[in-house]
Amino acid sequence: MTDLDTRVAPPHAPLPRRAVPALLGYAAVRALGLAVLGVWSAARGKSAYTLLTARWDSLWYTRVAELGYGYEVRLPNGDVHSNLAFFPLLPWLERLLHAVTPLSYAGAGLVVSLLASLAAAAGIFAVAERVYGTRTGICAVLLWAVLPVGIVQSMAYSESLFTALAAWSLYAVLTGRWVSAGVLAALAGLTRPVGAAVVAAVWTAGVISFVRERGAKHTPGALPLLYAPVWRRALGMLLAPLGAAAYVLWVGHRTGKGPLGYLDVQAGWRNGFDGGYAFGRFVADKFTSFPAALAGLGLIIGVALLIWLYVTGVRDRQPVELLVYTGVVLALALCASSYFGSKPRLLMPAFPVLLPLARALARLRPPRSALVTAGAAAAAAVYGAFWLNGSGPP
């Protein structure tokens, strides 16, 4: 589609076979994280299973799966936390799996997340391999696995499910499968509000394809561009926003507040988009005392690293659909006005930002690359166990 000169021709072996090393590595990292969590939790007299399935957002998803929508909590300050804030695809899958297996709703959520995390790893490999080659694809998966908050990938949360749908939708666009891209984007839009990032990527790629095709037709001597038929591209673009639009409109109808009803629901959680003002104040407040100032400095360095990696992706001429997707995910995560402790996990679906690091890791000799990955995996496992037994992801 876009930036065709940066695409790496896929090897002859089928994609599932090429993805096996990446998936084995991913499974090993996640198994290490769960093992360390189990030992750490047992030492503290806690249940690792409960930490993974029955705290924070996972409880809200389970209630939706079991009881449907309509549950809310009214706080003393007047805020209303409604479960309408949680998009329906994960609880639908929890309900389906509960209906056909002996699993509880919580257990079904955990199984869905574990399977979705493998699908996400495969999708990340497919995208990275398509753009930069097999070794970079493997390294991208391993880097996603060893993120400090990677334990969320194994929780009954929606991050893994969303990342899987987003990655495969992006891969479908990269390979010209427009209808599949639209369907997957619609499902991503039923999973999290950030599904807008996938829709933006599909629409941007589609518009560029039409513009380039039209330009080629009016350029004497230009070679014809190999795009899917117009109707397939148009259908994919039409399908992409339907999931998010359907849920947002349904919430508006249910609340009686019209198309903006979902924004009122989010306001009850003190969630909104303020361009990063609240997050900036949160970081600035860290510098009122010395110990907190170190955390503030760490946050500044982390945001600067994300921006640098994104700019590096632009300079490396990543396909425009990846840049649009990543840019929207970063903007929505960093510029949300509340729940600052959630930002690390909200950034997790922005996997293309890892591609410059994956390319660098792929250039190392295999022993050194393996050593770096093993060290990062061990650190992530320890941090994940510490974090989940402490404040954890709100």
Side-chain angles (χ1 to χ4, degrees), residues 119-287:
I124 292 170
F125 171 81
V127 170
E129 186 207 40
R130 179 77 183 181
V131 180
Y132 294 122
T134 301
R135 287 199 64 185
T136 298
I138 295 172
C139 290
V141 170
L142 293 176
L143 287 175
W144 192 68
V146 302
L147 290 174
V149 295
I151 190 66
V152 174
Q153 298 163 17
S154 300
M155 296 179 67
Y157 270 45
S158 60
E159 273 74 15
S160 289
L161 178 61
F162 175 79
T163 304
L165 294 168
W168 283 109
S169 180
L170 292 171
Y171 179 74
V173 173
L174 289 169
T175 55
R177 297 173 172 89
W178 289 90
V179 177
S180 296
V183 170
L184 291 166
L187 292 173
L190 282 171
T191 307
R192 297 188 62 83
V194 75
V198 191
V199 177
V202 173
W203 271 72
T204 300
V207 169
I208 290 176
S209 75
F210 287 126
V211 171
R212 288 188 171 182
E213 190 173 57
R214 181 180 179 86
K217 287 180 179 179
H218 291 82
T219 302
L223 295 175
L225 297 175
L226 299 178
Y227 291 116
V230 170
W231 72 268
R232 286 184 176 274
R233 282 176 278 161
L235 180 57
M237 293 174 68
L238 178 65
L239 291 171
L242 293 185
Y247 183 67
V248 168
L249 291 174
W250 179 80
V251 171
H253 174 73
R254 182 176 177 115
T255 60
K257 297 182 179 180
L260 300 181
Y262 184 76
L263 296 181
D264 288 340
V265 170
Q266 285 284 14
W269 288 79
R270 293 186 179 266
N271 258 335
F273 186 88
D274 63 0
Y277 174 75
F279 184 46
R281 287 192 59 185
F282 174 77
V283 174
D285 289 343
K286 294 293 183 182
F287 290 91

Side-chain angles (χ1 to χ4, degrees), residues 279 283 297-309 334 347:
F279 184 46
V283 174
L297 181 61
L299 289 171
I300 292 174
I301 293 173
V303 172
L305 177 61
L306 286 173
I307 295 174
W308 177 77
L309 288 172
L334 294 176
L347 290 164

Side-chain angles (χ1 to χ4, degrees), residues 95-123:
R95 182 179 296 179
L96 175 62
L97 193 57
H98 169 75
V100 299
T101 69
L103 291 170
S104 65
Y105 289 105
L110 182 61
V111 170
V112 169
S113 183
L114 291 173
L115 294 176
S117 69
L118 290 171

